[in-house]
Amino acid sequence: MRRVRYHENGGPEVLRVETTDVPRPGPGELLLRTEAVGVTLPVVRKVREGGLPLPASLGGEVAGEIVAVGPEVTGFAVGDRVTGLCFADGYADHSLLHSSMASPVPASASAVDAVALVRCGLVALGAYEAARPAEGESVLVTAAASGAGHLAVQLAKARGAKRVVGAVSSAAKADFVRSLGADEVVTYDALADVAPVDIVLDAVGGALLTPALAALAPGGRLVAYSSGGGTIEAYDLLVGAKSAIGFQMALIARHRPALMEQWRLELWELLAAGRLRPRIHAELPLEEAAEAHRIIESRVNLGKVVLRPV
């Protein structure tokens, strides 16, 4: 099979397509013929910044057809279409996915829909839920054109937000974010001009945390779900009785699987009803994984970037 690995840390240029044997699924594992792979910023950063023994392969959101099942697997069979998160050899034409991480893909959905919707959609919906939203509140979404952000904009509207503001790095993304249903679009350098909102969903972090927090109305809630770091001053919370909430999808998956499954079902239902539409910036073959990473690093993507191994 073909897979992408890297032998040194660095930019997209370190990615290599290699050939190796198709693996056999172990206990609890599913072997997929991988039809689509979602490219995410945390994976792109890991290649550049390190953290894994080298040479390393890339994990990721995958979707495809089961071609073999390992011992102790229940609830799945050869021929089923599934999606989920695998932690190694995700950028490959065959992937091993643990059955505990797998979710069936409805017949009406494509593999691209699946990788665009399920992981990023779960993050977007989970971050929104972490804010404990009430119908009719206003929401500001940073990185509103990103894989998760463009779904967060749509979810806020579908859930009854009265006003949704999309915040983006460049005015060139404004029309795209408006097409998602955003009532307003603002660039990061103009956040100070936004009328206060009840909720901020922040996928950027870093220096943007301070102006994002300032955009909250008194009593507002900021949900941080970025890997970008950053610092919040306690006084900035105190003076407006504001809250900062951290959200991590891995903790939900580990400790509240029933809630994650509930969110998955809601996402599929919204997709089927046409109220949630994943947007795809690019579909690229496996050999162009480096280009996929360049797109993500340059922050020019409008929606999801997907690799198509087969």
Side-chain angles (χ1 to χ4, degrees):
M1 73 175 191
R2 295 171 305 136
R3 68 178 177 187
V4 176
R5 292 205 303 171
Y6 55 102
H7 293 250
E8 60 182 321
N9 293 111
E13 69 280 356
V14 304
L15 300 181
R16 302 182 189 175
V17 178
E18 302 176 348
T19 301
T20 188
D21 294 334
V22 175
R24 292 184 177 182
E29 290 183 328
L30 310 171
L31 177 65
L32 306 188
R33 181 181 295 110
T34 314
E35 299 173 15
V37 183
V39 181
T40 64
L41 182 59
V43 171
V44 172
R45 283 177 171 159
K46 190 170 292 185
V47 174
R48 185 174 287 279
E49 298 170 6
L52 293 177
L54 298 173
S57 64
L58 300 99
E61 312 152 339
V62 298
E65 180 182 343
I66 298 174
V67 294
V69 299
E72 303 172 18
V73 169
T74 59
F76 296 100
V78 171
D80 290 348
R81 298 170 64 243
V82 297
T83 185
L85 184 66
C86 73
F87 299 100
D89 288 346
Y91 287 29
D93 53 29
H94 286 79
S95 302
L96 287 175
L97 178 64
H98 198 277
S99 57
S100 64
M101 302 296 294
S103 174
V105 176
S108 59
S110 70
V112 172
D113 284 336
V115 295
L117 180 66
V118 172
R119 186 66 184 176
C120 284
L122 284 171
V123 170
L125 181 53
Y128 188 57
E129 283 286 284
R132 299 186 181 277
E135 188 170 352
E137 288 191 308
S138 52
V139 181
L140 185 147
V141 179
T142 68
S146 68
H150 89 285
L151 296 173
V153 170
Q154 297 178 67
L155 285 165
K157 294 297 286 188
R159 283 290 202 88
K162 70 175 180 183
R163 171 174 160 249
V164 176
V165 182
V168 292
S169 58
S170 165
K173 300 178 179 182
D175 287 345
F176 171 75
V177 175
R178 288 192 186 93
S179 76
L180 304 172
D183 300 292
E184 304 166 33
V185 182
V186 63
T187 54
Y188 296 151
D189 58 2
L191 274 177
D193 300 327
V194 173
V197 297
D198 301 300
I199 295 168
V200 171
L201 304 180
D202 179 57
V204 178
L208 196 67
L209 279 175
T210 297
L213 189 66
L216 283 174
R221 294 90 71 202
L222 181 146
V223 178
Y225 65 101
S226 160
S227 59
T231 302
I232 289 175
E233 294 291 337
Y235 180 77
D236 292 339
L237 298 175
L238 176 66
V239 71
K242 301 173 182 179
S243 301
I245 303 159
F247 176 78
Q248 185 189 56
M249 194 65 229
L251 290 177
I252 300 295
R254 192 174 303 124
H255 301 294
R256 304 187 68 185
L259 177 60
M260 190 168 76
E261 184 59 27
Q262 176 184 323
W263 290 346
R264 276 198 195 106
L265 292 174
E266 180 175 350
L267 292 170
W268 290 129
E269 289 170 0
L270 289 169
L271 177 70
R275 301 177 68 195
L276 190 61
R277 291 187 299 144
R279 305 292 182 88
I280 307 303
H281 179 88
E283 294 183 35
L284 300 170
L286 197 63
E287 291 79 7
E288 294 184 30
E291 177 60 21
H293 279 219
R294 289 187 189 98
I295 292 169
I296 295 293
E297 282 198 322
S298 66
R299 307 294 203 278
V300 299
N301 57 298
L302 304 177
K304 191 71 174 171
V305 177
V306 177
L307 295 176
R308 296 297 303 271
V310 295

